[in-house]
Amino acid sequence: MVDNDGSPQTSRRRHIARLAVFAGFLLGLWYLAAIARVVDVEAMRRAVSATGPAASLTYVVASAVLGALFVPGPVLAAGSGLLFGPLQGIFVTLGATVGTAIVASFVGRRAGRDSARALLGTNRADRIDALIERRGLWAVVGQRFVPGISDALASYAFGAFGVPLWQMAVGALIGSLPRAFVYTTLGAAIGDRSSPLAYAAIAVWCVTAIIGVFAARRGYRTWRDQHQPSQRPRR
């Protein structure tokens, strides 16, 4: 007989419990950062400003970590525009966004990769790995265009499913360009009262959101068609 502690059922429960604890941990972080707002973003901005010439690099590192802790990205990007202006601020925002993607996906891989593979099974996990190798980069890019999805949460999930760090970094850089422009420019517009900047940012946001919705709809329909059983005509 197989010992109960080493049975497949016990092992499966262990992996489910591990993923549940990880999900609960992420939910707690999201509540503290996005709902309770225990992080004082304004105090962070003042501290960054005090670093002088190193302020932009300091903001990139701090925002990357805070983004992985579910501090809302638009707030951090707007702060970048307010502190550094629209041009430099966009580069700072993109650096922070890529940093958040790398940090979150690395943690997701370390915390959930083995359990996710164990629950999926070897065959499914291998198929997903092959799919990620072909399309993982563009999956990351596409997610950034879909409105309403937390980038940090998606990065944790991508990491758990084994998306390589280089795909996370490049995908986050490409996919985040429009939103980085939008939120950073809005922050800069608040600082200098520039209506044209605000109008341009809102226009780009609307276009990006429309593209994201259509891309998500098309992706879902493609996935549904691929997974529906073939209908054979009756004779």
Side-chain angles (χ1 to χ4, degrees):
M1 293 180 62
V2 179
D3 187 77
N4 289 335
D5 291 337
S7 66
Q9 186 65 24
T10 301
S11 177
R12 183 178 178 85
R13 288 175 181 172
R14 186 182 303 115
H15 288 301
I16 292 175
R18 181 179 178 182
L19 290 177
V21 169
F22 182 49
F25 173 72
L26 295 181
L27 181 62
L29 286 180
W30 172 80
Y31 173 79
L32 291 174
I35 305 299
R37 298 189 182 278
V38 298
V39 178
D40 190 343
V41 178
E42 187 59 37
M44 185 203 73
R45 290 176 191 156
R46 291 194 297 268
V48 167
S49 298
T51 61
S56 57
L57 180 59
T58 304
Y59 198 85
V60 167
V61 175
S63 293
V65 174
L66 291 176
L69 297 177
F70 291 100
V71 173
V75 174
L76 297 172
S80 174
L82 190 60
L83 285 174
F84 306 108
L87 183 59
Q88 183 181 355
I90 289 173
F91 289 101
V92 172
T93 297
L94 286 173
T97 300
V98 172
T100 293
I102 292 174
V103 170
S105 62
F106 178 78
V107 173
R109 175 184 286 267
R110 295 298 299 268
R113 173 67 170 155
D114 293 340
S115 294
R117 283 188 63 87
L119 293 178
L120 287 170
T122 303
N123 291 334
R124 285 184 180 178
D126 289 343
R127 287 200 298 269
I128 290 176
D129 286 345
L131 183 63
I132 287 172
E133 186 176 351
R134 296 195 307 271
R135 301 179 182 175
L137 172 63
W138 299 112
V140 177
V141 173
Q143 176 270 311
R144 301 280 163 157
F145 277 82
V146 180
I149 298 178
S150 166
D151 292 341
L153 183 60
S155 296
Y156 283 114
F158 281 133
F161 279 103
V163 176
L165 290 180
W166 75 267
Q167 289 187 356
M168 289 300 308
V170 177
L173 178 63
I174 297 173
S176 298
L177 272 169
R179 281 194 291 176
F181 170 79
V182 169
Y183 297 124
T184 306
T185 301
L186 284 175
I190 293 172
D192 63 10
R193 311 290 184 181
S194 174
S195 295
L197 277 178
Y199 293 147
I202 292 171
V204 171
W205 184 88
C206 291
V207 172
T208 303
I210 292 171
I211 293 174
V213 169
F214 276 100
R217 184 169 178 265
R218 181 177 180 181
Y220 169 74
R221 294 178 70 175
T222 301
W223 176 87
R224 183 189 62 187
D225 294 342
Q226 290 177 347
H227 289 78
Q228 277 183 342
S230 59
Q231 300 288 338
R232 294 183 178 180
R234 295 180 180 179
R235 295 182 178 179

